[in-house]
Amino acid sequence: MQLNDFPADIQPHLLPSHAGRMVYRCLGCGEEFGIEQLLYVCPECRQVLLIEDLNGPRLKQIPGGLWRRIFDYRKMLTLTALKGIYRYHEFIGPVIPLEAVIYLGEGHTPLVSANGPLRDKVGADFFFKNDGQNPSASFKDRGMASAFSYIHAMTLRGAVPEILAICASTGDTSAAAALYGSYLAPRIKSAVLLPHGKVTPQQLGQPLGSGATVFEIPGVFDDCMKVVEALSEHYHVALLNSKNAWRILGQESYAYEIAQDFEYDVSRAVVVVPIGNAGNITAVMRGFLRFHEAGIITTLPKILGVQSEHADPVYRYYLEPDAARRKFAPVTVRPSVAQAAMIGNPVSMPRVIHLVERYNETAGRQRVFFSAVAEQQIMDWQLAANRNGHVACTHGGEALAGLAAARQRGRVEPGEVAVLDSTAHALKFSVFQEMYFENRFPAGYDITPRPELMNRPILIRPQDLAKVPAPGAPLAGEDFQRFVRRTAEEVAGRLNLKIRK
Ligand SMILES: *Cc1c(COP(=O)(O)O)cnc(C)c1O
Ligand SMILES: [Zn+2]
């Protein structure tokens, strides 16, 4: 739709004009730092940072009802820069000029309703929000679109001549970073560090395909992270892990989209998020809080953070009900099919602690909950979802396992509607489906396939046929007709098909 065709009261707001004044804010000492420099931790106390808009309070000059209509009308605008996460430009990056916005198709991911049989099995009404339908097939693209748009804005200003973007990854961060980095080639080069043998072949292929330099490091993700931190401390690199607060900002779009998908009434919504490094749940809590502050939503949804029992430091922290006595302790991870969340010492833990407190305080009651689920549950629920029309990855399965358990414990009540983050596409983690179907999970996973969920291809090779076609050697004439007839008969036999009269 053309600008002139929008309602007169919307026209002045369709293109963002709010002038942001963004700063890094330290969660330790509260100090403020300018965004002209790339900072990951507080130069004074080493704590993690969040980005804040000092002009944020001005957003309240526009009433909530008008914001809601602005975002709804922006959906109809055919302006590339505002198609993805920057539909919420005023909230995500009001200092990013529209010409600096990198849009590769991220955001606006579909909400897919659970069908009747799956709903009945879980005992709750729910949707998957398919963040696996982002360009690199995980939610990480939301954060990368934000971080790279910021870097792009800096390069356009001539602030930095050349950038090496670097990250440690459980697979998806590097895929996303390499993809967005390659869009800005040759000015931006990418390097990624992966734990050797701990990412799937698909995830390894992604940064290689995007032309990044890929390093495989012994150990697990937590070890890679330390190496990358050492690099960012001693060398000129742009760190793209979720320590980078620009990524958190971009990932807030997930919460904004849910609010908009629910026509801004999220009072009955339960948002279920799998947790690894805890950047995503940080962004989700913060997104809802900021929309609430601006009067765009009036109730905060319930949030359920889910971890695997094999990597559950956040869950363990909150087992202690008395906030004063809680003490964070990293855990040593064990093998997990939710491999992208196999993290024992989450970088964003201080952000989580800070935001959970604010979230519950603002809601006036406990609205954030945590649970841990067994590896077996994760796989069984993922496969159940996929047998009912979904493309959920193992982490989506983890979210669904968390919802089923919460429903059983009465933590999710009838009438509530859950939104499950399927954080990546099933195809990225198909190796675990294969292990399940072929019953060859190594012992450390503690997974025994359930026969009714297993599936294998069936080879059809009629024994009475002398000749079958082969690549480069097709059959013809009588041989070919016989092959087609006999093969069809065998397939029909396996399927118990009735003969047409
Ligand atoms: C990164 C990732 C997670 C974990 O998200 P955090 O922000 O690290 O908590 C979960 N699922 C997938 C598919 C991921 O790529
Ligand atoms: Zn500080």
Side-chain angles (χ1 to χ4, degrees), residues 26-31 33 41-49:
C26 171
L27 286 184
C29 65
E31 199 59 53
F33 304 95
V41 290
C42 174
E44 275 153 40
C45 76
R46 319 300 301 160
Q47 263 280 22
V48 285
L49 310 164

Side-chain angles (χ1 to χ4, degrees), residues 116-124 380-381 384-385 388 404 450 452-453:
L118 193 58
R119 224 167 34 221
D120 292 346
K121 204 169 146 71
V122 178
D380 290 352
W381 278 112
N388 283 275
R450 286 170 41 182
E452 70 274 24
L453 289 174

Side-chain angles (χ1 to χ4, degrees), residues 139-140 172 274-280 340 395 423-424 429:
F139 78 83
K140 300 293 199 299
D172 294 332
I275 305 177
N277 225 1
N280 204 24
H395 313 79
T423 45
F429 297 92

Side-chain angles (χ1 to χ4, degrees), residues 55 202 381:
N55 287 347
Q202 291 78 7
W381 278 112

